[in-house]
Every structure is written in structure tokens, then in C-alpha cells.
Amino acid sequence: MTTKKLGRQTVAFASPPSIAGHANVVGKKEGEGPLADTFDHIEQDDTFGEKSWEKAESTMQKMALAAALDKAKQSASSMDYLFAGDLLNQCIGSSFAVRGQDIPFYGLYGACSTMAEGLSLASMMLDGGFGAWAAAVTSSHFCSAERQYRTPLEYGGQRTPTAQWTVTGSGCVILAQEGEGPYVTHVTTGKIVDKGIKDANNMGGAMAPAAYETIKAHLQDTKRKPSYYDLIITGDLGSLGKEIVGDLFHKDGMDLANLEDCGVLIFDPAQQDVHCGGSGCGCSAVVLTGYLLNGMQAGRWKNILFCGTGALLSPTSTQQGESIPCICHAAAISTQK
Amino acid sequence: MTTKKLGRQTVAFASPPSIAGHANVVGKKEGEGPLADTFDHIEQDDTFGEKSWEKAESTMQKMALAAALDKAKQSASSMDYLFAGDLLNQCIGSSFAVRGQDIPFYGLYGACSTMAEGLSLASMMLDGGFGAWAAAVTSSHFCSAERQYRTPLEYGGQRTPTAQWTVTGSGCVILAQEGEGPYVTHVTTGKIVDKGIKDANNMGGAMAPAAYETIKAHLQDTKRKPSYYDLIITGDLGSLGKEIVGDLFHKDGMDLANLEDCGVLIFDPAQQDVHCGGSGCGCSAVVLTGYLLNGMQAGRWKNILFCGTGALLSPTSTQQGESIPCICHAAAISTQK
């Protein structure tokens, strides 16, 4: 069997890459949430012993990469490719984490869709025959994101009801050309969708149409019904964005009973004051590398569609009155090839 | 023949993708330089009719993509993938250019190495069988870069002798699975190299060791001598960085008589006050899509090694006392498969 392009946006792999290792590192607040027991390392000090939030974020990525390599029983020098990116200006969270790693490196910018983007490209590298091992890592840090995108922490600004809370965390996946699974069987590459939302405090609403379009394209391209998947899980739409995706499919006559969102799952809305839920590159990365992949390995789910969502705005574009271009990349992950 | 991994960092394509179209757009200053007649469009108004420098940069990317598609006689909707990135925070030059394009999109951050990174990944997509057409586009704009990385234009800050001048320009390459060439035959993926240089006004010096390492890896992996190539051309090392690469090879007993640099070629040091030369994502992109590919098509060169160089720093990392992590990705381009 050779790799097939299905429709416009989806690829079905001839040799689905196997997830050989996955690990995550989170901050204190994430460690107090409902997914606490799915995290490999919960750090009580959000500085991670560093002198700046940006350096703390790089340290998280280094820790997640090292832990995932360890679980895969591989050294950095056996990796053929590393894909990484984050939310910081010029993606310094990643550049400084990758510095000193002996791994050929491609930098990404996909905002909060970065884990899905990295997983997609890493899978394509292996199925394409360009190497035997690849890694994808990403991160976000509440404190580095707040001061870059919003206001200094010390300012104590009021949050709007549609706001989300940037996850402090990093997740890493190690892929192998051969292995026991779970396998990445398909990827669906997103297009930019922008429905004109300009409120940078309503990312979930802005990103929901991109998630809808990519999930719809995936189902059409693969001729699968939503019920094929045990879970269709978006990255960080939060409670409002998740509801919008449900509504959009409902209008098409489809009810996605299996729709979940990493940003909804990661915090407890009753106990943790996060408004619409979690967000950030780290959000889907730590849920994938904990709750989701652990659950698949424990036999809880056989097939999931992991849909990373990203809002490709910047404070400058918002100040210039622009709306928010959004994207969603999906990867089908299965316990069977 | 199947695609081969050569050594640690290099891939030799079984089915080298063909460059079906290439185009560029530049600003006034670039249009007054020695490569003027290799540019498809020279705009006299650096605002490109837009209200902000960031929007001007997006407009350049849209123009370059449209022109390259036109030369390849393709529509946007026939592209399977588009890879794009730029220097702006959160890569908004690219996101807003790609918005409204009907193309599956992967965002990159490789600083000034972005054209080489996009060209590498687009080539891998096609050789890997994941599609028939792919595009890579990138840009930089002097005015958006100055105000983001340095000082407001109105401030009129003095430039140091090692400083370079960010090119206002965008270049786009359209790749096809089949075609008449030139062909991308090999890619060598870079690792991050950081020799401890902290002066953000000496990017050429900082990036030179990364260029040296990638060129050396490429030559070792392919068992080629430097003289195999008519040109080994780096992205934006400028005159100082180029000299350092020459010195590093000289120490190894190799003299690279065919070493050139896009940043050295694009401006006239006697007539245009640019200190060490041009820089920015647009620098190597517009030289590749004009001078280099035109020259190959005219029979001037048969084999070139295109080496995009990137400095993965940010103003924040510099303020925090960090040195500059650098990378270089190389693509071998040949008139023969």
C-alpha cells in the first residue's frame, strides 16, 4: 500500500508512524486540576528555577523532551528531526530549548495548533522515508503569555467572561517508523479560516469555525462518520468555542456526542477561576501526552481525532483593527495500524 | 530508486521536485541595487498602498504568491500545501497573507532561514507522495523589522559597522511533483549552533558557524567536494559573516572559491549605505527567486547549494543577556534530476 492523498486536505499513511514515547511537564495550577494524575511532572514553582518566565518556558520544553526520550528509550542523537514552536515572539521558548540538543530542527509557528502541526509534519517525515525517529514539542507559560499578549501580571487586569487561561505546560511526542502504537494514521492539514471576530478575549469563538472546517474536511476526505472516533478532541476552544463547533455540526444534521476539548478538560470550572477554560500551545500538548495517549494505552479509546486549534493573531494585528485568522490541523491516532 | 537518508542530516530525493514557478516583489531600495533586473516587481512606495508596515508586508507576500502561481500556470486551489513564515511577532506577515487563500497551510518560524526551511519541507511533501503541488513563501520589510527589533524609524539611530539592512521583499517558489526543473535534489536540515555571540547587531558573525556546520554536514553526507557546486550561497551572512565561513573552511584545508551570500549580492556597498549587507527572510527569498533561479534557467549555473541562515533570537532574549541561537538549512538545486 502506498500513502494516499484523500480529497484536498487529508493524507492516509502507508506506514503509520508509532508513538514511541510521550511526556509532559506542567505548573502548579494545572497540577491542581482534574487531569493531575496524567502529568509526568508537576512543578510547584512556576519559575522552574529560572530568572525569567521565558527561560522557565524553555526549561519546561527541555524537561518534556528529555522525559519523552527517556520513555522511548532513545537518545537525542538518535532523532532525525525535531519540530518545535511556541507562542513567544520569535518562538524563543523553543529556540533556546533546542539549543544544545543534537537534533536537526525545524521551527514552527502555529500558535496553539503547534502540537498538531508538529505531530503532522513529524509523521510525514517518517512515512515519507526521510528518517526513522522524529520528535514534536511545544509549550506555553501563563506568565510569559500574559505579559506578552495582555498586561503585566502585577497590573491585575479584570478578565472578560469569554477569556481563557493560558496553560503552563509542555508536552513532547516521540515518533518511530516502527513500533507497537498508538499510530498516527491520517493527517488533515488546515486552511486559514477567519469569520471576522476581532475580540482577542474570545479566541474560542474565533477558532471554532476553523475546527469545524477541518473536522468536516477530515470526515469527508476519509468517508468516516463522527462515530468512527471514540473522541474528536479540539485543542483549546474552551467551553464557548466547543459549543459553537457542536452547533455548527448540528446545523449540518450531525450531533457530535464524542466532541471534547482539551481546554475544557484541563481545569475544573467550579474550583479554578479560568472562565472559558485553558488555552495555549501547552494546553493540547499536555492533554495529548497525558490523558489522551495514556487512555489509549490503557484501552479506554481505540480511535481519536486530535484537532489542534490556533489563533494566528498578534497584539499588533489587534491594535491595527484586524480580525483573527485561525487554523486547525487534525491527526487521527489509532491503537491499530 | 527510493529516497535515501545520507548521514545524519541529509536526504536525497528519489523523485526530486521541480521548481515550476518563482517570483518576487521588492521595495524601492532593493530596486536600486545591483540585482534590480532580476526582480519581477519593484514598488516605489514601500507602504504598498497599505496603512501599516505590517499590512504592507502581507501585501508583498500575496503579490509574490500570486505572481509565482501565475508563472507556474496554477491556481491557489491546485496547491496541496503552502509553507510560510516571517520575522514579525506571531508571523502575522504570513498569516494575513495566507488568509483568504484556499491552500492547506503550515506556518514556520525559521527567522531568515525560512525560505530554505519552506523549500525543504515543501520538497519533502512532494517526494513523500503527500501531494502534487506545494508553495513556499516568505518576506521581510525594513520598516516593520526596524520598529519591532530595533528603534522607531523616526528615532534615526546610528547603525554599528557590523549591522545589516533588512531587505524589503518577498519571494515565492512553486514546486511540482513532475516538471522540467530546476530540481530540488537534496535537503540538509540544520541543527542549532550558538557560539556565544550576544551582539544583536552582528547577526552575520553569529550565524556564520551555523552555515559552516550545515555546509560541512552536506558535503560529508553527500560525499561531494565544494567544487561540485557552481555556487554555494548563504542567505544573509553579509560581508563579515561570509568572510568567517570562508575562514572556517580554510582552517579545514578547504577554500570555497564558489562561496557567495545573498546579503552581499543584493546591495551595492559603494552606493547604498548598508554596512555589512542585506538581511531578513526576504533577502535570500528574493535572491533565490530572481538572480539564482533565473541564472540556472539561463544556463549560467547547473548546481547550487542554497543555504538559508537564521538567527533565532528576539529582543526579549537579548534584553535577558542571552546569546544568539542560529540555524542553517541547505537545499541542493540542480538543472538535472
Side-chain angles (χ1 to χ4, degrees):
Chain A
M1 185 182 137
T2 54
T3 291
K4 279 188 196 136
K5 187 90 191 290
L6 305 175
R8 182 81 200 287
Q9 290 173 256
T10 304
V11 160
F13 294 127
S15 309
S18 177
I19 295 173
H22 52 92
N24 53 38
V25 174
V26 298
K28 183 167 180 284
K29 186 180 183 89
E30 293 68 24
E32 292 164 353
L35 303 187
D37 63 359
T38 69
F39 299 132
D40 294 299
H41 182 92
I42 299 168
E43 181 76 36
Q44 296 304 314
D45 171 7
D46 280 358
T47 69
F48 286 75
E50 297 290 346
K51 287 185 178 170
S52 74
W53 300 124
E54 292 76 17
K55 289 178 201 252
E57 189 168 341
S58 286
T59 296
M60 280 198 300
Q61 276 201 26
K62 278 190 258 190
M63 290 169 71
L65 174 62
L69 283 169
D70 193 55
K71 285 192 185 181
K73 298 186 176 58
Q74 293 297 313
S75 65
S77 61
S78 63
M79 295 294 112
D80 293 295
Y81 303 97
L82 170 59
F83 290 89
D86 59 82
L87 289 168
L88 298 180
N89 295 346
Q90 290 73 56
C91 300
I92 53 169
S94 303
S95 311
F96 286 88
V98 178
R99 181 176 67 173
Q101 309 285 349
D102 175 30
I103 315 182
F105 168 61
Y106 286 122
L108 304 180
Y109 185 74
C112 308
S113 74
T114 302
M115 179 44 85
E117 182 181 359
L119 190 65
S120 297
L121 288 167
S123 298
M124 286 159 141
M125 291 297 110
L126 302 193
D127 181 75
F130 305 124
W133 292 89
V137 64
T138 184
S139 63
S140 54
H141 194 299
F142 176 77
C143 301
S144 61
E146 281 301 300
R147 75 170 172 182
Q148 180 181 278
Y149 286 96
R150 298 175 191 97
T151 52
L153 291 178
E154 296 78 0
Y155 176 74
Q158 184 86 354
R159 303 169 75 81
T160 70
T162 56
Q164 293 172 240
W165 188 278
T166 305
V167 165
T168 297
S170 174
C172 179
V173 174
I174 308 291
L175 289 171
Q177 219 170 18
E178 307 284 339
E180 301 301 307
Y183 304 95
V184 180
T185 62
H186 299 71
V187 303
T188 299
T189 308
K191 298 178 192 176
I192 288 185
V193 177
D194 182 341
K195 297 293 188 189
I197 288 182
K198 293 187 176 189
D199 178 2
N201 288 307
N202 184 11
M203 303 278 211
M207 293 189 293
Y212 164 73
E213 293 291 347
T214 295
I215 296 168
K216 195 172 69 168
H218 178 84
L219 297 174
Q220 284 173 349
D221 290 347
T222 57
K223 299 187 170 54
R224 288 178 175 176
K225 291 184 180 167
S227 59
Y228 178 89
Y229 291 101
D230 302 308
L231 277 183
I232 295 176
I233 185 151
T234 50
D236 60 344
L237 297 182
S239 49
L240 178 62
K242 182 189 163 192
E243 199 181 313
I244 296 171
V245 172
D247 287 350
L248 289 168
F249 276 102
H250 183 75
K251 281 190 189 162
D252 291 344
M254 270 193 268
D255 282 304
L256 267 59
N258 50 352
L259 182 67
E260 293 288 354
D261 179 71
C262 300
V264 171
L265 295 170
I266 195 166
F267 293 120
D268 178 347
Q271 303 290 325
Q272 296 179 295
D273 182 23
V274 295
H275 298 255
C276 271
S279 66
C281 297
C283 180
S284 64
V286 302
V287 176
L288 174 69
T289 54
Y291 180 68
L292 296 174
L293 291 172
N294 291 354
M296 291 187 86
Q297 283 163 330
R300 186 168 173 194
W301 304 298
K302 284 184 181 166
N303 297 296
I304 70 166
L305 187 64
F306 175 70
C307 310
T309 39
L312 305 172
L313 80 171
S314 83
T316 303
S317 67
T318 301
Q319 284 159 10
Q320 293 181 5
E322 274 290 1
S323 54
I324 307 173
C326 296
I327 201 156
C328 173
H329 301 296
I333 308 175
S334 174
T335 51
Q336 304 282 315
K337 267 195 196 183
Chain B
M1 186 182 137
T2 54
T3 291
K4 279 189 197 137
K5 187 89 192 292
L6 305 176
R8 181 80 199 288
Q9 290 173 254
T10 303
V11 161
F13 294 127
S15 309
S18 175
I19 295 173
H22 53 91
N24 53 39
V25 173
V26 298
K28 184 167 181 282
K29 188 181 181 90
E30 291 69 24
E32 293 164 353
L35 303 186
D37 64 358
T38 69
F39 299 132
D40 294 298
H41 182 91
I42 299 166
E43 181 76 36
Q44 295 304 314
D45 172 7
D46 280 358
T47 70
F48 286 74
E50 298 289 345
K51 286 185 179 168
S52 74
W53 300 123
E54 291 77 15
K55 289 178 201 251
E57 188 167 341
S58 286
T59 296
M60 280 197 301
Q61 276 200 27
K62 280 190 258 188
M63 291 170 70
L65 174 61
L69 284 169
D70 193 54
K71 286 194 187 180
K73 298 186 176 56
Q74 292 296 313
S75 65
S77 61
S78 63
M79 294 295 112
D80 293 295
Y81 302 97
L82 171 58
F83 291 89
D86 59 82
L87 288 168
L88 298 180
N89 295 346
Q90 289 73 55
C91 299
I92 53 168
S94 303
S95 310
F96 286 88
V98 178
R99 180 174 70 172
Q101 310 284 350
D102 176 30
I103 315 180
F105 167 61
Y106 286 122
L108 305 179
Y109 185 73
C112 307
S113 74
T114 303
M115 179 46 82
E117 182 181 1
L119 189 66
S120 298
L121 288 167
S123 299
M124 286 158 142
M125 291 297 110
L126 302 193
D127 181 76
F130 306 124
W133 291 90
V137 64
T138 185
S139 63
S140 54
H141 194 299
F142 176 77
C143 302
S144 62
E146 281 300 300
R147 74 171 174 183
Q148 180 181 279
Y149 285 95
R150 298 175 190 99
T151 52
L153 292 177
E154 296 78 0
Y155 177 75
Q158 184 86 354
R159 305 170 74 80
T160 70
T162 56
Q164 293 171 244
W165 187 277
T166 305
V167 165
T168 298
S170 173
C172 178
V173 174
I174 308 291
L175 289 171
Q177 218 170 19
E178 306 286 340
E180 302 300 308
Y183 305 96
V184 180
T185 62
H186 299 70
V187 303
T188 299
T189 309
K191 299 178 191 174
I192 288 184
V193 177
D194 182 341
K195 296 293 186 190
I197 288 182
K198 293 187 176 188
D199 178 3
N201 288 307
N202 184 10
M203 303 279 209
M207 294 189 292
Y212 164 74
E213 292 291 347
T214 295
I215 296 168
K216 195 172 68 169
H218 177 85
L219 297 173
Q220 283 173 348
D221 290 348
T222 58
K223 299 188 170 54
R224 289 178 174 174
K225 292 185 178 163
S227 59
Y228 178 88
Y229 291 101
D230 302 307
L231 277 182
I232 295 176
I233 184 149
T234 49
D236 60 343
L237 297 182
S239 50
L240 178 62
K242 182 188 162 191
E243 198 181 313
I244 295 170
V245 172
D247 286 350
L248 289 167
F249 276 103
H250 184 76
K251 280 189 188 161
D252 291 345
M254 270 191 270
D255 282 303
L256 267 57
N258 49 352
L259 182 67
E260 292 288 353
D261 179 70
C262 300
V264 170
L265 294 171
I266 195 167
F267 294 121
D268 177 348
Q271 303 290 327
Q272 297 178 296
D273 182 25
V274 295
H275 297 255
C276 271
S279 66
C281 297
C283 179
S284 64
V286 303
V287 176
L288 174 68
T289 55
Y291 180 68
L292 296 174
L293 291 173
N294 291 353
M296 291 185 87
Q297 282 163 332
R300 185 165 174 196
W301 305 298
K302 285 184 181 167
N303 297 295
I304 70 167
L305 187 64
F306 175 70
C307 310
T309 39
L312 305 172
L313 80 170
S314 83
T316 303
S317 67
T318 301
Q319 283 159 11
Q320 294 181 5
E322 275 290 2
S323 55
I324 306 174
C326 295
I327 200 155
C328 173
H329 301 297
I333 308 175
S334 174
T335 51
Q336 305 281 314
K337 267 196 196 187

